Amino acid sequence: MAAAVVLLRRLRGVTAAPRRAAAALPLTTSVRGVSDSTEPLTIETSVPYKSHIVDPPPREVATTARELATFFRDMSAMRRAEIAADSLYKAKLIRGFCHLYDGQEAVVVGMEAATTRADAIITAYRDHCAYLARGGDLAALFAELMGRRGGCSRGKGGSMHLYKKDANFYGGHGIVGAQVPLGCGLAFAQRYRKEAAVTFDLYGDGAANQGQLFEALNMAALWKLPVVLVCENNHYGMGTAEWRASKSPAYYKRGDYVPGLKVDGMDVLAVKQACKFAKQHALENGPIILEMDTYRYHGHSMSDPGSTYRTRDEIAGIRQERDPIERVRKLLLAHDFATTQELKDMEKEIRKQVDTAIAKAKESPMPDPSELFTNVYVNDCGLET
């Protein structure tokens, strides 16, 4: 896998400029013809923001052809990786728990476009695409999923515990809601060190009723910590619909004294705009809640078919009307930044790169049994020999 991101194509008479945020996935694509223009373009978000005790950001979002093409590439790579993980799990090459993110890609991709690698991100167990958005390597992802030594957590974390310290990505946590206080702790450290950075602290609607969330939020508000709490509301906590679990499913209002926004989490531009707004707010005023209205296509985990508590028509309807990748595809085509065939060619290259990454991951050996005793304590526990 090439470490540098080589994006897509020849310029159309416009001088290239670097992206504001760090490039996301370390993929190399060589599709010719897809516009690489950095000429400014303004696009309106799909729906208005809903806000709680704060004025929302404008719906008009500045972007470029280059950024839209990057969004399409990154989300397509994530989608393909999750589909591949499904197949590997069914082939019993991935064991244990495995929670897939397909459908929700716009949340982490839009967030990455509004942040830098100095900002920290922490999330729950549906973490594959968050790791990739932070610049994670595809081969290291698949090696970790298969418990191999070449994995990003040395094969010891698996699907739920991905990690990338050099990009301030702190995982992957398997206990529902437990990462929220940890994220507030990261924000405390940022403020203590006087860093001009924030922490994006992700959790799902299934964790939104956790007491530890409100305890951490109260402390964050008291100390004005630079933390953005991001509720990824995919409308089902495992197999329980939000309306059955929450008396008030308006999660962006749950902070009471903490401002909040409800965002179309299937619109990558809306997510980018909201995260940019939230980051500035957190730096100046302390915590803010973002509720991302999103949807997962797979079941809660690979052991859940995802069709017993919702209809196939519901899933198909979301795919047809709100799919984040298809929305960007339509923008690229509508503005004549790419042709249908050029985007298909890009997807074909992405499939090849995912297949190559899987093959490389399979070559990585399993961890030595002695690794069971390492990383338990700072100086290990004395039993590793």
Side-chain angles (χ1 to χ4, degrees):
M1 265 310 156
V5 176
V6 179
L7 193 78
L8 314 178
R9 73 90 122 10
R10 58 184 70 170
L11 302 176
R12 293 183 177 175
V14 180
T15 303
R19 288 179 61 194
R20 178 182 175 278
L25 296 182
L27 295 173
T28 301
T29 52
S30 57
V31 179
R32 296 190 176 187
V34 180
S35 178
D36 198 29
S37 170
T38 56
E39 184 177 350
L41 173 71
T42 300
I43 296 175
E44 189 174 75
T45 62
S46 54
V47 295
Y49 296 105
K50 292 183 179 179
S51 63
H52 171 63
I53 63 172
V54 68
D55 292 329
R59 291 182 63 186
E60 294 72 29
V61 186
T63 187
T64 64
R66 169 183 284 189
E67 183 176 64
L68 290 173
T70 302
F71 288 162
F72 182 84
R73 181 206 64 196
D74 290 353
M75 290 194 292
S76 296
M78 291 173 182
R79 180 74 55 86
R80 187 64 193 175
E82 293 293 64
I83 292 170
D86 175 287
S87 299
L88 291 169
Y89 193 92
K90 290 172 180 175
K92 298 185 178 181
L93 291 171
I94 297 174
R95 310 301 291 263
F97 294 105
C98 185
H99 305 81
L100 302 182
Y101 199 75
D102 48 321
Q104 301 183 210
E105 299 92 348
V107 175
V108 290
V109 171
M111 186 182 305
E112 192 66 24
T115 59
T116 71
R117 296 286 161 80
D119 298 311
I121 293 179
I122 188 168
T123 189
Y125 39 76
R126 202 179 304 278
D127 60 344
H128 305 169
C129 295
Y131 166 75
L132 291 175
R134 290 266 92 180
D137 180 69
L138 277 169
L141 167 67
F142 287 114
E144 190 61 41
L145 294 179
M146 291 187 280
R148 308 293 178 119
R149 195 184 303 170
C152 60
S153 297
R154 302 176 187 172
K156 299 170 68 173
S159 170
M160 298 194 294
H161 302 287
L162 306 178
Y163 180 66
K164 188 169 172 56
K165 185 178 180 181
D166 61 359
N168 283 308
F169 176 63
Y170 293 96
H173 295 266
I175 305 300
V176 175
Q179 75 280 3
V180 177
L182 298 178
C184 291
L186 291 170
F188 180 88
Q190 289 168 327
R191 183 178 178 188
Y192 185 81
R193 295 169 180 160
K194 295 181 172 58
E195 298 172 354
V198 306
T199 294
F200 282 79
D201 198 352
L202 281 65
Y203 60 98
D205 54 289
N209 297 315
Q210 288 269 324
Q212 57 190 329
L213 187 155
F214 294 98
E215 292 181 58
L217 182 60
N218 180 64
M219 295 174 71
L222 281 171
W223 297 337
K224 294 186 177 180
L225 300 183
V227 61
V228 180
L229 280 83
V230 182
C231 177
E232 294 187 275
N233 182 9
N234 60 29
H235 303 284
Y236 295 95
M238 298 187 71
T240 303
E242 58 177 350
W243 61 269
R244 297 183 63 192
S246 298
K247 182 63 178 176
S248 172
Y251 299 111
Y252 69 104
K253 296 181 179 180
R254 288 289 199 88
D256 186 14
Y257 42 81
V258 173
L261 287 177
K262 184 173 182 178
V263 184
D264 183 354
M266 307 291 271
D267 180 347
V268 67
L269 291 170
V271 174
K272 182 187 84 163
Q273 184 90 322
C275 289
K276 182 180 178 181
F277 173 86
K279 177 179 176 177
Q280 192 61 37
H281 180 281
L283 287 170
E284 296 174 358
N285 305 297
I288 184 171
I289 296 173
L290 297 181
E291 178 188 344
M292 299 292 180
D293 180 3
T294 187
Y295 198 84
R296 57 170 163 79
Y297 295 149
H298 268 83
H300 170 72
S301 68
M302 285 300 297
S303 61
D304 169 24
S307 57
T308 57
Y309 48 86
R310 57 184 183 174
T311 65
R312 296 188 184 278
D313 287 344
E314 177 185 310
I315 302 169
I318 297 292
R319 282 185 181 273
Q320 184 175 348
E321 297 173 12
R322 299 183 62 208
D323 185 84
I325 298 174
E326 294 308 310
R327 281 179 165 178
V328 176
R329 187 195 304 271
K330 288 176 182 177
L331 286 173
L332 288 167
L333 296 176
H335 290 276
D336 196 29
F337 294 148
T339 66
T340 300
Q341 188 57 50
E342 287 166 349
L343 296 180
K344 286 182 178 179
D345 290 344
M346 191 190 303
E347 290 172 310
K348 189 179 298 183
E349 285 199 38
I350 287 168
R351 284 196 294 272
K352 290 179 182 178
Q353 292 183 27
V354 169
D355 290 344
T356 299
I358 292 171
K360 181 179 178 181
K362 288 179 178 178
E363 294 174 357
S364 179
M366 293 293 182
D368 189 271
S370 65
E371 287 292 321
L372 284 170
F373 302 103
T374 61
N375 309 122
V376 179
Y377 299 102
V378 172
N379 296 316
D380 297 322
C381 57
L383 299 176
E384 58 272 14
T385 55

